[in-house]
Amino acid sequence: MLKRALVAAVAALAHLASAKDVFAHYMVQGLDGRTNHAVQDVIDARNMGLTAFALNIGAPHDGWALDVVNQLFTAAKANNFQIFFSLDLAQNKDAYAYSDLLKKYAGHDAYFKAGPNNLPFLSTFSAQKTDANYWTKFLGSFGQTKFYFVPNFDDTPNYFDNPGQWMNDWGKAIDGAFSWETAWPRNSDTPSNVSSAQDEEVLKAAHAKKKAYMMPLSTLQYKHWDKQHWYRPGEVNMPQRMTEILGMGDRADYVEILTWNDAGESHYIGTLRMEGIDQSMVEYANNDDYNHVAWQPVFASFVSAFNNNLKATGMRPPNDKQLVGSMWYRAIQKDASCQSDALGRPSGAGAARDAVNWAVVAADDGLENLRLQIWSGGNLIRRVALQPGLNYGSEPGLATGPQYFEVVDTANNNKIVMKGQGRVDVKAQSTGYCNFNYVVAGLN
């Protein structure tokens, strides 16, 4: 008996050491089956090095949702990609409502499996006042089909305040823990940086119980929809968080990027599929002016570094490029009155900075004579040499007018070798929506 227990413990530890997958939280929304949008999303994610989409689904019986799920699983199977479900209990609080969906897809060739027993991976968004007994019964209702369960239950008692006790309370029901709220600084009107301190405590408690831990990674959170208007930074939250996660070495088992295409809260990194977007979102989230795909090469560099247990200094551009990078900013200054917006200024607006933010990943060679220059409203606000790995900054001095960045060669009369410009100029005041979403530009 002791030998069997020892073998099981060693197997669990081996799993924790080897699990290095990065996922993207994919908001299931209407996709026109006459398009190739599902296929293209899968290919884009696979090309970034992602392992799987975590399909956030809150309408498990609606025909439109089931159609999208089918499109995505079909695309994943055909393109060497994987998918698992994230049950959105904030939309549908009854886990049993998802039973038919799980029974249908748990054995699918494209369903992502993990853990020492290679079980179908399952996650959630929110717990909605459920407890461990509820989930033990739910997961036991599938008979011989077992799941590797890594939910987001950071809204339950003791999760952050006493994670050791939380693991004691929940350990029988879960295989790992996933935090959501630690992806950004707390809601505040005071500028602050993201911190992995709470993640570290929950991770420590999880590993003590031979459980996995999944870290969240995000860009910002801005919402102007359904009479809700809020902002959570933002600025250099993304590269700071990347640096924190990579600094944890092999202790973080999984990472989930929040999100792939959630226009409603603006932290999307995939192409927005306009057939699935509420028209009230289009003003502040659209592919013409607020396309976020220029973040993808930086994420791809992060994924590769995470898979190989490298720090942020070990990040390198994908596809043997010398440089990849992006720049992002708000198209209105933070003190805009927003009188033209019925919802006014977003809560948390005080945490914003008037800054141009950037991240560049550089290769090892050929950087000696290259300088990155950040321009705002016709003013050069930063000139910086680049080092191998992840470089980033938040440059104060956001001025009205155009925003662009460039890489120049100082040995060749400051010849511009790469550049990028935002599609929207900065204004002091808003006209219409008070939009705190980011304009994102890539370095080309």
Side-chain angles (χ1 to χ4, degrees), residues 103-230:
K103 289 174 183 176
K104 179 176 181 178
Y105 285 101
H108 196 283
D109 291 343
Y111 200 101
F112 175 67
K113 298 176 177 62
N117 297 314
N118 201 37
L119 300 176
F121 197 101
L122 180 63
S123 190
T124 73
F125 176 74
S126 180
Q128 292 297 315
K129 299 182 179 179
T130 55
D131 59 18
N133 289 331
Y134 177 90
W135 288 97
T136 299
K137 291 177 182 177
F138 172 71
L139 294 170
S141 69
F142 293 93
Q144 295 299 313
T145 300
K146 307 299 179 185
F147 289 91
Y148 189 75
F149 190 41
V150 184
N152 162 44
F153 286 166
D154 64 5
D155 57 338
T156 55
N158 291 322
Y159 185 88
F160 287 124
D161 296 334
N162 190 346
Q165 182 60 51
W166 189 90
M167 287 293 166
N168 288 336
D169 296 338
W170 283 88
K172 66 180 182 180
I174 65 169
D175 297 288
F178 169 36
S179 302
W180 186 275
E181 290 299 317
T182 56
W184 315 271
R186 289 289 180 182
N187 288 316
S188 173
D189 272 318
T190 302
S192 59
N193 293 331
V194 68
S195 171
S196 62
Q198 289 183 306
D199 295 284
E200 291 275 7
E201 293 302 313
V202 181
L203 180 151
K204 188 186 304 181
H207 283 188
K209 294 290 186 180
K210 309 298 187 293
K211 309 292 184 182
Y213 187 70
M214 185 155 67
M215 297 277 289
L217 169 61
S218 187
T219 51
L220 80 156
Q221 192 175 131
Y222 171 68
K223 186 170 187 174
H224 190 300
W225 184 59
D226 194 27
K227 299 182 180 180
Q228 300 179 67
H229 198 197
W230 75 67

